Amino acid sequence: MDVIHVSTASKNYHVYLGREILGNLKDHLTEFSKLWIITNTDLKELHLDTLTNHLPNIDTHIYIAPNGENAKTFEIYQDCISFGMNHGMDRHSVVLAFGGGAIGDLAGFVSATYMRGIAFIQLPTTILAHDSAVGGKVGINHPLGKNMVGAFKQPDLVIYDTQFLATLSIREKRSGFAEIIKHAIISDPLFLQELINEIKSLEDLTAFPLQRYLKKGIETKANIVKQDEVEKDIRSYLNFGHTLAHALEAEAGFGELTHGEAVLIGIVYALNLSMQIYPFAFPYESFISWLEELGYEWKIPDNCSFEAILEWMVRDKKSIRNEPVFVLLQDLGSPVRQKVNQELLRKTFLDLQVNNKECSQNEMERTNASTTCISTR
C-alpha cells in the first residue's frame, strides 16, 4: 500500500492507494454520527456490498444517483439534499463518495453545502478518479457549462482500493488513462516516455504497474495543489487539454463523450497549438500512433462546428474578458497559460477535425503533413 500526503492551505489529509485496502476505512469512521453513502446504479450492483461489509455499526443511509454525468445536475443535487434532511443527517455525519469522478464531484458538492459543510471521504472506483478524487474540486454541471457550479472542498481522507478497477469497461479504462497521460505531459517527459514504451494495451490492467502510474499522477496533482489550492495560478496547469474537452462534452450533451475521451482530444489540440506557438521537439507522429494503438479516437468529431465550440470555450473558467485562455506547453513538462489568436484556434480545429468539409485543399494538405511539420519544428 502507498500512502500519499496531500497538504493544502485549508486541510491536510492522506491518500491510501492499494489493492484490497478498504479494511482501513472502518477505523476512520468511529467519530461520526451517521454515514451517508452516495454512489450510482452500476456500483450498487457491482461493489456496494463490498463497501458495506467494511463499515462499522453506525447508522448508514445510501443514496443511489444515476450513472456518469447524469448525476451532476441541479435536480439530483437537490434530491441529495432532501435525502439528507429526510434521513436526519447532521453536522457530525460524513458523506462517503463511492464511485468515479462524477460521483466524487456530486458527493463533494453535497458535503460542501449541506448545513454549510460536513465531512466527506473519497472512495474512488475508477482510473479517472485518481485525478478527480484529490484536490478538492467539487461541483455539478450547468446547461451552459461543465462544472460551473461548485466549490473547493478537500476530503478528509481518500482510500483508493484498486480492486474495483477490475470491472471497468475498456472505454472507462481509456477514459481514465487519458488523465495519467495528461499528468505525464505537464510534469515529466521521462514519465511520458515510460508510458509510451511500456503500455501497449489497456485491456489487462494487471499487465503493467498501474498502481505506480496512479501514484505518480496523484503526486503530480498534490504537488501543484499544495502551491495553489484554489486555482489562482499554477493549478490551472492541471486543465491541460480541458478547455476544448469541456466544450466538446457540453456540445455533445453531457455523458455522450466520456470526460477522458474529450480530454484526450483536447490534449492533441493543445499539443498542436503549443508546437505552433512554442516550437519544441516532440515525436508527434509516434505519439499519435501510440494513442491509436491504445484505441483512442483523437480527432475532433465532424459534427462539431468551430463557432459552437468557441462559444463554450469562451465560457471556460480560465477565460478573461470573454477570451479563452489555454494551458499550453513551452516544452514537455513546462506548461504555461496563454491567450490564443482565434484564427489559429480555428485553423488548428479544422486541421484536426474528422472528415472536415470546410477545410480548403491547402488546409487538408497541412493536415496530412502535420505530423512531419510539427515533429521537426
Side-chain angles (χ1 to χ4, degrees), residues 31 65 70 79 89 96 144 162 166 179 182 193 200 243 250 257 285:
E31 66 185 275
N70 291 325
D79 197 42
M89 297 299 168
L96 304 181
L144 295 180
T162 59
E179 291 284 3
K182 178 205 74 176
Q193 194 58 55
K200 303 304 179 185
T243 303
L257 277 175
E285 187 171 359

Side-chain angles (χ1 to χ4, degrees), residues 138-157:
V138 298
I140 58 175
N141 299 326
H142 187 280
L144 295 180
K146 184 178 173 72
N147 295 334
M148 294 301 287
V149 180
F152 290 95
K153 167 75 170 177
Q154 300 295 339
D156 291 59
L157 172 72

Side-chain angles (χ1 to χ4, degrees), residues 80-136:
C80 279
I81 297 297
S82 299
F83 179 92
M85 297 175 69
N86 288 332
H87 288 86
M89 297 299 168
D90 56 36
R91 284 182 167 172
H92 299 283
S93 302
V94 60
V95 172
L96 304 181
F98 185 56
I103 286 297
D105 284 356
L106 169 69
F109 189 49
V110 168
S111 75
T113 53
Y114 185 80
M115 294 188 173
R116 296 192 174 93
I118 62 175
F120 98 108
I121 292 172
Q122 287 273 23
L123 304 173
T125 61
T126 66
I127 300 175
L128 189 144
H130 91 279
D131 179 78
S132 59
V134 176

Side-chain angles (χ1 to χ4, degrees), residues 271-272 275-276 280 282 284 369-377:
L271 275 171
N272 274 268
M275 289 184 287
Q276 293 175 81
F280 59 91
F282 179 67
Y284 182 81
S370 63
T371 57
T372 301
C373 293
I374 291 174
S375 63
T376 58
R377 283 183 182 271

Side-chain angles (χ1 to χ4, degrees), residues 116-297:
R116 296 192 174 93
I118 62 175
F120 98 108
I121 292 172
Q122 287 273 23
L123 304 173
T125 61
T126 66
I127 300 175
L128 189 144
H130 91 279
D131 179 78
S132 59
V134 176
K137 275 190 177 181
V138 298
I140 58 175
N141 299 326
H142 187 280
L144 295 180
K146 184 178 173 72
N147 295 334
M148 294 301 287
V149 180
F152 290 95
K153 167 75 170 177
Q154 300 295 339
D156 291 59
L157 172 72
V158 180
I159 295 184
Y160 194 174
D161 192 328
T162 59
Q163 69 172 303
F164 301 121
L165 304 183
T167 55
L168 294 177
S169 68
I170 186 60
R171 188 182 187 192
E172 290 171 316
K173 293 173 186 176
R174 288 196 193 100
S175 180
F177 197 72
E179 291 284 3
I180 295 179
I181 295 171
K182 178 205 74 176
H183 283 137
I185 287 174
I186 67 171
S187 67
D188 185 354
L190 294 178
F191 182 21
L192 178 62
Q193 194 58 55
E194 180 182 354
L195 295 178
I196 293 172
N197 291 342
E198 299 297 327
I199 309 305
K200 303 304 179 185
S201 170
L202 296 177
E203 292 283 354
D204 182 7
L205 296 179
T206 64
F208 58 93
L210 177 63
Q211 183 170 323
R212 180 155 62 88
Y213 300 147
L214 294 171
K215 181 173 182 282
K216 286 177 73 73
I218 292 169
E219 288 173 338
T220 296
K221 184 164 190 178
N223 181 55
I224 290 176
V225 170
K226 178 180 181 179
Q227 301 173 69
D228 178 22
E229 181 180 10
V230 295
E231 201 166 311
K232 298 295 185 183
D233 188 20
I234 66 170
R235 181 163 181 169
S236 63
Y237 296 165
L238 294 165
N239 286 313
F240 182 75
H242 286 58
T243 303
L244 177 62
H246 286 170
L248 291 173
E249 288 182 84
E251 179 67 8
F254 296 121
E256 294 301 314
L257 277 175
T258 70
H259 180 63
E261 287 169 343
V263 165
L264 195 282
I265 296 170
I267 285 172
V268 174
Y269 185 62
L271 275 171
N272 274 268
L273 292 172
S274 298
M275 289 184 287
Q276 293 175 81
I277 296 172
Y278 301 105
F280 59 91
F282 179 67
Y284 182 81
E285 187 171 359
S286 61
F287 178 71
I288 293 297
S289 295
W290 177 61
L291 296 180
E292 292 176 343
E293 185 179 0
L294 296 182
Y296 284 107
E297 299 288 341

